[in-house]
Structures are given as C-alpha cells and as structure tokens.
Amino acid sequence: MLVSAKEMLNKARDGKYAVGQFNINNLEWTKAVLLTAQELNSPVILGVSEGAGKYMAGYKTVVGMVNGMLEELKITVPVALHLDHGSFDGAISCINAGFSSVMFDGSHYAIEENIAKTTELVKICNDKGLSIEAEVGSIGGEEDGVVGAGECADPAECKSIADLGVTMLAAGIGNIHGKYPENWPGLSFETLAAVKDVVGDMPLVLHGGTGIPEDMIKKAISLGVAKINVNTECQLTFAEATRKYIEAGKDQQGKGFDPRKLLAPGFEAIKATVKEKMELFGSVNKA
Ligand code: 13P
C-alpha cells in the first residue's frame, strides 16, 4: 500500500540520512526503482512530473501500475507516490487519482499567491493523510520545459510557507536540475543553515540530485536535508545502456529487437544508479 512520505522523512531527519525520490517514466523505470528499494530494504519515493504523468497515459494509469507492482512484486518497504513540481490543478488531479504525496511548486508566484494556494492544498492533504511538499526559491535548470535560474531561497519566505503546515520544504540553495555547468559555484550551505534555523524540524528537500559531489550531499544531509530528488542521472544511464545494446547489434538475427531484451540493459542501469544513490544517501536498511 502506498504511504504518505511524512513518517519516512521524519525518521530520515532524525536518523541523519535522506530518502531518495526517483522520477519514473515507464514500467521498466518503476519496476527497477521498486525492486532496488526492496532489495536494499530502503524507503523510497517515486516522483512523477506532470509531463511523465501525461506520457504514462495519465495519473490513474500510474496509480494502477504502481499499486499493481506493490502487490505482485511483494514490495513491503514504505513507498510514496509523489507528484513532482505540480501545478495547483495537477496536485488536485493526483490527489483524486490516488497519489499519496504531492509537491505544489508555487515558487514562480508572488509569495502571497504561493501562500494562498499552498494553504488550500495543505488542508486537502491533511484531511486525507497525504504529504505535501512546497517550494521557495526556484530550482535552476530545465525540467519539463520549465527553465529556472537556481535562486537561493529567502529564509523568511521559507518560514511563512513552512508555518502553513507542509510536510517538507524544497528551498533553493543554488541547486540546478540536470547536469551542473563547469562554473557552478556549489550549494549555498549558508542559505541551507539559515533556512534550517527558521523552519526548525521541517524535513528539507534537495532537488537536482544528479551530479552534486558526494561531500556536498553528505553536508546537506547533516544540515537537515531528508529527501533528495534524482531524475537526470537515471535518464542518462538508461539511454547509455540502451545505446550500447543497439550498437552491439544484439537484434534477433535481423528480425528486429525484442522490446523486453532491448530495455533490459536500461533497467539494470537504473537499478545500479538507484542502489548507488541509496547507499550515498544512507537509506539502506532504514525501511
Ligand atoms: P535531477 O534531474 O538533476 O536529478 O533533478 C531531479 C529533480 O530535482 C526532480 O524534481
């Protein structure tokens, strides 16, 4: 059964580790993440962007697929199904479809509007026992066609949003979605510490988990980050493994590719990436 992310994140915050959010795009991706979490006895969050939800034929399809896998693959570790960077309407649709967690990304609104919309969603999520993530200070890079500049959040704004009763807060600390540019100055631990100072116990979320050096990940966890999102790295390893398989010409004697064999190396590559991240984040055996 899907669970809210609240308990797993509070435990992670107290235990000084982070739960990984791995974004899913298809059946293979989902199965790879769930099986790895089960093998490593780790809690996990499946992230679904609005674009990925649309691609997978809608939120209800995603919920059906994930619930089916939890049962048939005998997944017993805590799993949350979470909307990533949702709009207000997207969050409502996911709640109605059976997601156990949503992110409302109101970072591009003026703070007053972000507060008003977040307040409304917090009430709905609390009534239903779902977790809700809010964002302050946009995360840089491009995701689903939305380009952000990688701001550092204003701690006072973080406090206003945290006080609305969200479960976890994504505060921009110079992090970027996708690959980091050569001249990236690194995470702003000053901002992270200042945010932590004003939001107290609230678990913090680090977006843009691809390509952040290990020492920065560990430091961020020590400063209150309890959830780390990873997307691009799984995409890159999946694509690379598939490319190598095709280039090796492993088709069926000129009859074409068996789709199950074609996607198998990518599936294994995602498993390996997820394992590496769970070990780095410290969530192994924390289910
Ligand atoms: P990356 O694509 O950089 O791993 O970031 C993922 C993310 O933050 C999803 O919200």
Side-chain angles (χ1 to χ4, degrees):
M1 203 184 74
L2 288 169
V3 296
S4 136
K6 186 174 182 150
E7 197 183 321
M8 63 172 95
L9 292 183
N10 285 347
K11 275 170 78 177
R13 175 205 60 210
D14 293 345
K16 295 266 180 233
Y17 61 92
V19 177
Q21 173 192 306
F22 299 95
N23 284 42
I24 55 170
N25 288 282
N26 60 17
L27 181 142
E28 286 73 16
W29 227 280
T30 312
K31 191 171 154 192
V33 177
L34 289 177
L35 287 176
T36 310
Q38 185 68 25
E39 279 163 28
L40 298 181
N41 194 31
S42 166
V44 74
I45 298 170
L46 302 177
V48 179
S49 68
E50 294 200 349
K54 209 167 165 186
Y55 174 78
M56 290 185 275
Y59 301 128
K60 286 186 189 159
T61 312
V62 177
V63 170
M65 175 176 72
V66 172
N67 277 332
M69 281 193 197
L70 294 184
E71 187 182 332
E72 308 226 29
L73 299 175
K74 299 186 174 42
I75 304 294
T76 54
V77 294
V79 178
L81 180 58
H82 178 75
L83 172 67
D84 189 30
H85 290 285
S87 61
F88 185 86
D89 292 347
I92 298 285
S93 301
C94 285
I95 291 167
N96 290 335
F99 275 52
S100 63
S101 187
V102 292
M103 173 185 188
F104 168 59
D105 181 354
S107 62
H108 48 283
Y109 291 117
I111 187 72
E112 297 74 23
E113 191 160 1
N114 193 353
I115 288 177
K117 289 190 157 67
T118 305
T119 305
E120 204 172 322
L121 287 170
V122 165
K123 182 167 177 354
I124 298 170
C125 288
N126 280 349
D127 287 349
K128 292 181 180 284
L130 310 177
S131 42
I132 174 162
E133 175 179 340
E135 176 170 328
V136 179
S138 90
I139 315 293
E142 182 176 340
E143 195 170 61
D144 266 359
V146 181
V147 181
E151 298 166 5
C152 282
D154 172 356
E157 289 189 359
C158 290
K159 178 154 172 53
S160 337
I161 296 282
D163 286 351
L164 301 177
V166 298
T167 319
M168 59 272 205
L169 182 74
I173 55 168
N175 39 333
I176 299 174
H177 289 123
K179 282 187 167 174
Y180 286 84
E182 293 281 311
N183 59 355
W184 179 54
L187 295 176
S188 167
F189 292 111
E190 221 182 344
T191 307
L192 181 55
V195 170
K196 176 74 189 156
D197 228 34
V198 293
V199 302
D201 265 357
M202 169 123 336
L204 298 173
V205 183
L206 183 62
H207 282 246
T210 297
I212 299 178
E214 287 194 18
D215 57 331
M216 287 194 201
I217 292 277
K218 288 189 174 149
K219 188 161 179 192
I221 293 173
S222 77
L223 289 170
V225 164
K227 169 177 180 278
I228 303 179
N229 294 4
V230 178
N231 178 23
T232 306
E233 199 155 328
C234 289
Q235 294 188 1
L236 292 171
T237 52
F238 182 85
E240 178 63 7
T242 312
R243 185 184 65 76
K244 277 193 187 145
Y245 184 82
I246 294 173
E247 280 179 8
K250 292 180 185 162
D251 69 351
Q252 299 152 310
Q253 289 84 43
K255 288 192 226 150
F257 287 96
D258 174 343
R260 290 175 232 163
K261 289 189 180 147
L262 175 65
L263 294 174
F267 167 80
E268 292 299 335
I270 291 179
K271 283 192 76 187
T273 303
V274 171
K275 180 170 189 277
E276 193 185 296
K277 295 296 174 192
M278 286 180 166
E279 284 168 351
L280 172 63
F281 301 166
S283 69
V284 175
N285 282 328
K286 297 290 181 3

